[in-house]
Amino acid sequence: MKKIGWAILLLACCIGGFLALPSNYYLRRALTHFLPKIDQYPIFENRIVKAGDPSPWKQAEAYNTCSIPEKYLPVFDELGTVAYVVIQDSSLLFEQYWEDYSPESHSNSFSMAKSIVSLAIGCAIDDGLIRDVDQPVSDFFPEFNGYNGKTLTIRHLLTMSAGVDFQEAYSSPFSPTTKLYYGNDLHKIAFGMKEIAEPGVNFIYQSGVTQLLAFLVEKATGESVSSYVSRKLWTPMQAEENALWSLDKKDGMEKAYCCFNSNARDFARFGQLLLNGGSWNGRQLISESYLKEATTPDSTLRFAEYDEPNRCYGFQFWHLNYKGMDIPYMRGILGQYVFIIPDKNAVVVRLGHKRSDTRTGQHYPDDINTWLDAALDIMEQGKQNNH
């Protein structure tokens, strides 16, 4: 028994020593906090994305005279919905909150932030700081010069077809995704990626690629990603609340592939910007041509996992065809969504703790059906209540 006790103690000391290594900072945090959660921003350093000209949404005439039909409520409850907002005709038609969440509560965007980084790229192109999406990445970072004679371009980063060796895995504490989230050196991970395949061939979803895009935004603009997004988008879109973008360390780099913390009302502004073709109050914030390309799947790419043409992903925006409607959308791993529905002149935001584990087709979580169907029913109720 004494030998067993000493063996356990020795193992514990070894593990403790391993975790104490500076390189395993991320692992200590992962074991402390376990899987990512929507309200974890206080455990990170954060940079303010300033809302410099706040203005509330106009309320629709039928504002909150509607309700979520009862048949959808079990899914809303089961998946831990905390906020649900429907904007139609540029007005707030419906909103509901659960738990202690309110219109001002911060919640993590998770991978919806990837779409925000894409918008920042579009703004930098408009500003002449980036030539176009086909500019070589090596113009900014010479270490990324392509593979097998094919140049790596910004387009390849935007479309997740970079051909790098980043392995996306959320369940393993040793994955690069976990290192991105809980670690304190985003530069080391992003610039440690190796080019191992020809770019522009396969769509393979990789958070490290978006992080590299954010470093490119920083290099091109000469300012932090938070500052640039505040100046070019958040303030001009008249967000009501400052957002918080989590950093890898004090005065560090934004976790740009995730971790933009805001509320449902203000997340909806990104959707409205797309509905408006890139303009806000008559001011063009981002070119309409960029948005059109960003929200159109690049079907020249092969969706590697399904061995078929990509039908679901553009420039860091997802896309689906639902009941005959083309719907671009932003998406986060725990069921964060901003849906843009041009056919209904509407934006739908859902925030929560979980999404469905069931997938259809090209990584299509089937909880999406609930959020869209409930919104369509609410809009129909609003239409009737206006008469």
Side-chain angles (χ1 to χ4, degrees), residues 4 21 40 58 75 81 90 96 111 158 172 184 200 207 230 235 242 277 279 284 301 305 307 320 336 348 357 387:
I4 293 173
L21 293 172
Q40 280 182 320
K58 182 179 72 173
V75 177
T81 304
S90 303
Q96 187 169 336
S111 288
L158 287 166
S172 168
N184 60 357
S207 289
S230 169
T235 291
N242 290 340
S279 71
Q284 198 71 28
L301 300 176
E305 191 173 335
D307 195 22
L320 63 93
Q336 291 69 40
V348 180
D357 291 328
H387 292 311

Side-chain angles (χ1 to χ4, degrees), residues 29 32 150 207 243 246 261 294 304 310 337:
R29 299 190 89 183
T32 300
K150 187 168 182 181
S207 289
S246 298
N261 300 277
N310 164 52
Y337 298 103

Side-chain angles (χ1 to χ4, degrees), residues 131-168:
R131 190 181 70 220
D132 55 36
V133 296
D134 294 312
Q135 185 169 1
V137 174
S138 59
D139 285 359
F140 300 89
F141 305 120
E143 51 266 65
F144 289 99
N145 54 13
Y147 184 86
N148 199 28
K150 187 168 182 181
T151 301
L152 179 69
T153 68
I154 294 170
R155 179 187 298 275
H156 299 141
L157 300 183
L158 287 166
T159 57
M160 296 287 188
S161 61
V164 294
D165 63 350
F166 188 93
Q167 294 295 316
E168 193 85 3

Side-chain angles (χ1 to χ4, degrees), residues 111-258:
S111 288
M112 293 201 302
K114 292 179 170 71
S115 303
I116 300 172
V117 171
S118 173
L119 295 175
I121 290 285
C123 290
I125 292 171
D126 291 342
D127 285 345
L129 303 171
I130 295 172
R131 190 181 70 220
D132 55 36
V133 296
D134 294 312
Q135 185 169 1
V137 174
S138 59
D139 285 359
F140 300 89
F141 305 120
E143 51 266 65
F144 289 99
N145 54 13
Y147 184 86
N148 199 28
K150 187 168 182 181
T151 301
L152 179 69
T153 68
I154 294 170
R155 179 187 298 275
H156 299 141
L157 300 183
L158 287 166
T159 57
M160 296 287 188
S161 61
V164 294
D165 63 350
F166 188 93
Q167 294 295 316
E168 193 85 3
Y170 296 93
S171 56
S172 168
F174 300 101
S175 76
T177 321
T178 303
K179 290 179 182 178
L180 281 177
Y181 187 72
Y182 283 119
N184 60 357
D185 194 346
L186 290 169
H187 187 278
K188 181 178 180 181
I189 300 166
F191 288 86
M193 295 188 300
K194 301 286 186 272
E195 296 167 283
I196 60 169
E198 190 174 308
V201 176
N202 292 316
F203 164 78
I204 301 174
Y205 190 86
Q206 296 172 312
S207 289
V209 168
T210 308
Q211 192 60 51
L212 183 60
L213 270 175
F215 278 109
L216 197 150
V217 169
E218 188 180 62
K219 182 79 175 285
T221 65
E223 58 187 298
S224 73
V225 178
S226 294
S227 170
Y228 192 65
V229 167
S230 169
R231 187 164 62 82
K232 300 297 295 186
L233 296 167
W234 203 240
T235 291
M237 292 192 308
Q238 299 182 293
E240 291 185 72
E241 305 287 336
N242 290 340
L244 296 172
W245 212 326
S246 298
L247 309 176
D248 58 353
K249 55 182 170 286
K250 185 175 173 58
D251 301 322
M253 179 65 186
E254 288 82 355
K255 297 175 191 285
Y257 71 97
C258 83

Side-chain angles (χ1 to χ4, degrees), residues 64 82 100 118 169 185 245 252-253 258 285 287 322 355 359 366 376:
N64 268 15
V82 299
D100 294 326
S118 173
D185 194 346
W245 212 326
M253 179 65 186
C258 83
L285 305 187
S287 67
Y322 191 76
R355 71 180 182 195
R359 299 286 181 274
D366 66 4
L376 294 172

